[in-house]
Amino acid sequence: MATVRRTPLNRDRVLRAAVALADEVGVAGLSMRRLAQQLGVVPMALYKHVADKEELLDGMVDVVIGEFDTPGPGLDWRDGVRARVLSARRAVLRHPWARQAIESRTRRTPTVLAYMNSVAGVLLDGGLSADLTHHVLHALGNRIWGFSPELFDEPRDENAPPPTPEQQQAMAAELSQRYPHILAIAMAATEGDLSRVGPGCDEEFEFRFALDLLLDGAERLRRGGWTSTAADPIATLRD
Amino acid sequence: MATVRRTPLNRDRVLRAAVALADEVGVAGLSMRRLAQQLGVVPMALYKHVADKEELLDGMVDVVIGEFDTPGPGLDWRDGVRARVLSARRAVLRHPWARQAIESRTRRTPTVLAYMNSVAGVLLDGGLSADLTHHVLHALGNRIWGFSPELFDEPRDENAPPPTPEQQQAMAAELSQRYPHILAIAMAATEGDLSRVGPGCDEEFEFRFALDLLLDGAERLRRGGWTSTAADPIATLRD
DNA sequence: CCCACCGGTGTACGCCGTACACCTTCGGGA
DNA sequence: TCCCGAAGGTGTACGGCGTACACCGGTGGG
């Protein structure tokens, strides 16, 4: 009997299936065994296509980077960086696990290098010295991958019931006693309505704010002919 | 016979042993079983003192935060933040696993809140509005914990032999072909001597550079009476 | 025609976190 | 004085994980 032969696996199909699976169940729920099951294959079959789980994750990150789009030239260098980085951000938002995956990766694959090279190119073309470009890339840090590094968000439990007024009252009392400064911030962020503390911060705004703060600081340094070898390299910033 | 009774465990001893063990073997090598062994106790004994491994890690982070020191008042707000953050940095450098642990944590323990509250207090006392303080804290992101978020470092293998001149030549050729902008940066960073690419970037410098870039940008916003409700909130920054 | 290789299989090992039932010890009311 | 309940430590067991290793059928090139 003509048992239909499955079209054979290959590295690309494995990676794309892994991305899809992670989109569903998160990076914590992604296991070699589960991925194999999803592909209708025995776990060890995967190892014909990726060396180990580390390499699988590297490959998955490469897939996400492949979704970044490269805006054409002709932009102010700051707009060029913004465009790249905000595109990265959109890709990372489509794959919520990507942030954690990127943070945990340490290998720099050719894809990763190519992306860094492209961002660096925008800075250099914009007139930043190689020196300044280097340090600005460091300053941007993970932001070039489209997410801010923070410990502030996330612990939001969607299924939790909204706080009752009494709970709000209690929280405000607790905050004002032990963490008055955090209370001040929360009040400002919610315009005094602590019940709106639920939705949390506007990540998009925070991301752009920090990005622009850094890019505009860099632009000021560029104009000032900044160099890292000066005695107080950052002094140019101080007026 | 008088079998000597071990002094009983308690949460504090467990956490400190965990920190010590992680200092030795890293966070990846830290398992409940191994920690128990180190304490001369059966694995399940730990669960009388911490709910689960998550809570153990939260507690370990709290221990590290406990090592931050709080500089006295009387400093310029920027110096106040710098002092706190650089002290955090020293603590995190003493516990190399802490960075990863902090990044992976999502629960905000009272210790975490207290630290954030203290940093926020410095900003507010320095004359930043609650609004601006909020966004500046976001902009600083993980930097308030004493490390920069980056994908640039780490993959340095100490045991690897230094590259031979031929390898350097090959690397430079590869770089100049495929990643010319990265080459430019590497040349600038090593003053043209690519053999010094080994030691990597000066993390301390990069950290301070980014920190000051952000703090000085924030100071400029403060002076300009920045507010997030303006049409183009960041416009104050432009030239 | 044969054989080497490629992709997939099956089994097994040693880790992991932790649920659950149990057992000792000890301090403090009745 | 007795008892009892809590606190702290134990032992066993389960289900999951990544992956080493031996194997095996099909297929295409010499």
Side-chain angles (χ1 to χ4, degrees):
Chain A
M1 85 174 87
T3 57
V4 192
R5 297 198 57 65
R6 263 189 300 85
T7 73
L9 246 41
N10 59 42
R11 186 180 158 92
D12 208 65
R13 290 219 307 139
V14 169
L15 292 183
R16 289 217 314 269
V19 166
L21 182 54
D23 284 347
E24 263 182 56
V25 301
V27 73
L30 175 75
S31 74
M32 298 301 274
R33 296 170 123 100
R34 190 151 174 190
L35 175 57
Q37 194 180 10
Q38 197 87 167
L39 285 163
V41 116
V42 92
M44 286 311 291
L46 301 176
Y47 289 85
K48 300 287 180 184
H49 306 282
V50 293
D52 52 20
K53 197 179 180 182
E54 289 282 292
E55 199 191 282
L56 178 77
L57 285 166
D58 284 338
M60 292 170 64
V61 168
D62 284 355
V63 169
V64 173
I65 295 178
E67 294 181 8
F68 296 178
D69 45 48
T70 358
L75 292 171
D76 170 49
W77 74 266
R78 280 182 286 183
D79 287 336
V81 171
R82 258 190 288 267
R84 262 176 187 71
V85 165
L86 292 177
S87 152
R89 177 166 181 76
R90 285 190 299 274
V92 168
L93 287 177
R94 280 195 298 275
H95 305 291
W97 49 271
R99 172 177 161 170
Q100 194 181 331
I102 291 173
E103 273 175 346
S104 74
R105 262 21 353 250
T106 128
R107 295 261 306 279
R108 291 165 301 188
T109 67
T111 310
V112 167
L113 284 173
Y115 176 62
M116 284 172 39
N117 184 66
S118 119
V119 176
V122 177
L123 298 177
L124 292 169
D125 288 348
L128 277 70
S129 69
D131 187 13
L132 181 53
T133 296
H134 174 201
H135 301 302
V136 167
L137 280 176
H138 270 285
L140 287 170
N142 275 348
R143 240 168 300 255
I144 71 171
W145 306 111
F147 56 91
S148 337
E150 20 221 351
L151 201 55
F152 294 82
D153 40 357
E154 313 261 0
R156 196 149 25 267
D157 184 354
E158 294 300 340
N159 303 31
T164 68
E166 301 86 59
Q167 285 175 319
Q168 271 180 53
Q169 199 67 26
M171 187 194 308
E174 167 92 357
L175 278 176
S176 71
Q177 283 237 324
R178 304 173 50 156
Y179 316 113
H181 304 312
I182 291 180
L183 175 65
I185 289 171
M187 293 290 282
T190 60
E191 287 154 356
D193 178 6
L194 277 187
S195 71
R196 299 204 293 110
V197 91
C201 300
D202 181 345
E203 286 290 336
E204 191 71 21
F205 180 89
E206 306 305 344
F207 187 83
R208 289 170 183 269
F209 174 84
L211 183 59
D212 285 346
L213 201 55
L214 289 163
L215 292 181
D216 293 334
E219 170 67 4
R220 207 176 341 269
L221 292 180
R222 184 189 68 78
R223 289 193 199 158
W226 181 92
T227 153
S228 68
T229 53
D232 182 2
I234 205 82
T236 326
L237 282 167
R238 310 247 164 75
D239 41 347
Chain B
M1 82 174 94
T3 56
V4 191
R5 298 197 57 67
R6 265 190 297 85
T7 74
L9 247 41
N10 58 43
R11 186 181 159 91
D12 208 64
R13 290 218 309 139
V14 169
L15 292 183
R16 290 217 314 270
V19 166
L21 182 54
D23 284 348
E24 263 182 57
V25 301
V27 73
L30 175 74
S31 73
M32 299 299 274
R33 298 170 122 98
R34 191 152 174 191
L35 175 56
Q37 193 179 10
Q38 197 87 168
L39 285 164
V41 114
V42 93
M44 286 310 294
L46 301 176
Y47 289 85
K48 301 287 182 186
H49 305 282
V50 293
D52 52 19
K53 199 180 180 181
E54 288 282 293
E55 200 191 284
L56 178 76
L57 284 166
D58 284 337
M60 291 170 64
V61 168
D62 284 356
V63 168
V64 173
I65 293 178
E67 293 181 11
F68 297 178
D69 44 49
T70 358
L75 293 172
D76 170 50
W77 75 266
R78 281 182 286 185
D79 287 335
V81 171
R82 257 190 288 268
R84 262 176 186 71
V85 165
L86 292 177
S87 152
R89 176 167 182 75
R90 285 190 299 274
V92 168
L93 288 178
R94 282 195 297 274
H95 305 292
W97 50 271
R99 171 177 162 169
Q100 194 181 331
I102 291 172
E103 273 176 344
S104 74
R105 277 343 35 230
T106 126
R107 294 261 306 277
R108 291 165 300 189
T109 66
T111 311
V112 167
L113 284 172
Y115 176 63
M116 284 172 38
N117 184 66
S118 121
V119 177
V122 177
L123 297 177
L124 292 169
D125 288 349
L128 277 70
S129 69
D131 187 14
L132 181 53
T133 296
H134 174 200
H135 302 302
V136 167
L137 280 176
H138 271 285
L140 287 169
N142 276 349
R143 241 170 298 255
I144 71 171
W145 305 111
F147 55 90
S148 338
E150 22 220 352
L151 202 53
F152 294 83
D153 41 356
E154 312 261 1
R156 194 148 27 266
D157 184 352
E158 295 298 341
N159 304 30
T164 69
E166 302 86 57
Q167 284 174 320
Q168 271 179 52
Q169 200 68 26
M171 188 194 308
E174 166 93 357
L175 278 177
S176 70
Q177 283 235 325
R178 305 173 48 156
Y179 315 113
H181 304 312
I182 291 179
L183 175 65
I185 289 171
M187 293 291 283
T190 60
E191 287 152 355
D193 178 6
L194 277 187
S195 72
R196 299 205 292 110
V197 90
C201 300
D202 181 345
E203 286 290 336
E204 191 71 21
F205 180 89
E206 306 306 343
F207 187 83
R208 288 171 183 268
F209 173 84
L211 183 58
D212 285 346
L213 202 54
L214 289 163
L215 293 181
D216 293 335
E219 169 67 4
R220 206 176 340 269
L221 292 181
R222 185 189 67 77
R223 288 192 199 160
W226 181 91
T227 153
S228 66
T229 53
D232 182 3
I234 206 82
T236 329
L237 280 166
R238 305 259 158 67
D239 57 350

